[in-house]
Amino acid sequence: MTEQTVRRPSRLFRNLNAKIASIPMILNALVIFLGGTVWTIVYSFTDSRLLPRLNFVGLDQYRRLWVTPRWLVAVENLAIYGACMLVFSLIIGFLLAALLDQKIRFEDTFRTVFLYPFALSFIVTGLVWQWILNPNFGVQHVVRELGWKNFAFDPLYDSSIVIFGILIAALWQGTGLVMCLMLAGLRGIDEDIWKAARVDGIPTWKTYVFIIIPMMRPVLITTLVIIAASIVKVYDLVVAQTSGGPGISSEVPAKYVYEYMFHAQNLGQGFAASTMMLLSVVIVIVPWAYLEFGRRK
């Protein structure tokens, strides 16, 4: 009986059905996302106004961008909002996850309550917190009605702290998602590790800090990327709560881009601001990609 040699198909024709099915997704990524990104970057070097035109002016749009007070305020607000959002959402989310991981009663109920705000749109969240922080009928009014007549809490009307009023609403909505991601990471830790730590007499907080958290590195990195992406594109909350006010004190880059592209009819300036936002995303993605894939052998 002769042996028949079975030829394996070339690499190009392996999993052909899957490759054919992925063609629309590939075209979508290439044409819409990559093509739109390149188009935006190219036209950021032009003097496009109401309509795009290929009249290159070099770095003029970027020079104008970085001497515009409105943009500088937007970048400062994004830096403050981003740093606080990263720190507080991670800390609060992890603490909530650690509490729920203790197998408490009504865990499903608490998890639903904490996660429910994430199901709301940013516009709804912004409007709700605009009412809560309104000094005429919000927290300040309620506390004063209880007898503390000098109590003041109106962050949305104070230009020096307005970004923190927006941060409160963002934490209320986004912390539940962080909690669920952290809880999934904690539930993935082998129970034998906890038993060994208890046998060795290691305090609980040291077990979390030196053993559990390092083992959750993939979950932490993924959570950081998700939070960072939401920080860069923050827009809805600002529009719903303050519309950029008082004055321009709560301006953010995404709102700056929208205002210049659709209200001021200055596409070139809007494209330049969009490119700077893209650069900030790249600064986040590249270290993440290196940590996830670059160090693997």
Side-chain angles (χ1 to χ4, degrees):
M1 182 176 180
T2 60
E3 294 183 358
Q4 295 181 350
T5 304
V6 179
R7 288 188 177 183
R8 297 184 63 187
S10 64
R11 186 180 297 273
L12 179 63
F13 295 101
R14 293 177 189 173
N15 301 321
L16 188 59
N17 292 335
K19 291 179 179 178
I20 293 174
S22 65
I23 288 176
M25 181 188 67
I26 295 173
L27 291 176
N28 181 59
L30 291 176
V31 176
I32 297 179
F33 292 101
L34 183 59
T37 300
V38 173
W39 191 83
T40 299
I41 295 173
V42 169
Y43 278 90
S44 69
F45 296 100
T46 68
D47 61 352
S48 301
R49 300 291 297 183
L50 176 60
L51 296 174
R53 58 181 180 179
L54 280 174
N55 184 18
F56 291 99
V57 292
L59 297 174
D60 286 357
Q61 296 289 2
Y62 293 93
R63 294 191 188 99
R64 288 180 54 202
L65 181 68
W66 286 102
V67 296
T68 303
R70 188 172 184 176
W71 173 256
L72 297 178
V73 171
V75 172
E76 181 182 357
N77 284 336
L78 187 66
I80 296 172
Y81 171 86
C84 294
M85 187 68 182
L86 277 175
V87 173
F88 288 115
S89 62
L90 282 174
I91 292 176
I92 297 173
F94 183 82
L95 290 176
L96 291 175
L99 291 174
L100 289 179
D101 194 43
Q102 305 305 312
K103 307 298 189 300
I104 62 174
R105 295 181 63 185
F106 307 112
E107 176 189 330
D108 293 341
T109 302
F110 284 113
R111 188 167 60 240
T112 302
V113 169
F114 291 139
L115 186 60
Y116 177 75
F118 186 73
L120 301 177
S121 69
F122 279 112
I123 292 295
V124 174
T125 300
L127 290 176
V128 169
W129 279 94
Q130 183 192 53
W131 299 333
I132 294 174
L133 299 177
N134 190 302
N136 295 322
F137 46 83
V139 174
Q140 177 177 298
H141 174 75
V142 172
V143 174
R144 287 186 177 183
E145 287 293 314
L146 294 175
W148 288 275
K149 298 298 182 181
N150 295 325
F151 178 80
F153 186 67
D154 55 348
L156 298 184
Y157 298 86
D158 187 342
S159 59
S160 62
I161 60 172
V162 63
I163 194 64
F164 296 103
I166 297 171
L167 175 67
I168 292 172
L171 287 172
W172 179 78
Q173 186 186 45
T175 304
L177 176 64
V178 177
M179 177 205 70
C180 287
L181 293 173
M182 295 295 177
L183 184 59
L186 289 173
R187 292 287 164 84
I189 302 297
D190 194 341
E191 188 66 27
D192 291 339
I193 294 175
W194 286 104
K195 294 178 181 178
R198 295 189 190 100
V199 170
D200 293 338
I202 302 175
T204 302
W205 69 270
K206 283 189 176 182
T207 305
Y208 275 111
V209 173
F210 296 107
I211 300 176
I212 302 302
I213 292 179
M215 294 180 66
M216 293 174 59
R217 190 181 71 88
V219 175
L220 289 171
I221 293 175
T222 301
T223 306
L224 284 173
V225 171
I226 293 174
I227 298 173
S230 67
I231 289 171
V232 172
K233 64 182 183 181
V234 61
Y235 170 80
D236 314 61
L237 278 177
V238 176
V239 172
Q241 287 188 271
T242 65
S243 295
I248 59 171
S249 56
S250 61
E251 192 76 15
V252 289
K255 187 174 181 297
Y256 182 93
V257 171
Y258 179 85
E259 292 289 336
Y260 269 82
M261 292 184 68
F262 298 102
H263 289 178
Q265 297 178 352
N266 190 340
L267 291 180
Q269 186 69 185
F271 289 149
S274 299
T275 304
M276 297 309 301
M277 290 180 64
L278 174 65
L279 181 61
S280 66
V281 173
V282 171
I283 292 174
V284 173
I285 294 297
V286 170
W288 168 76
Y290 174 75
L291 289 173
E292 283 295 298
F293 309 109
R295 292 183 177 181
R296 295 181 181 177
K297 296 181 180 180

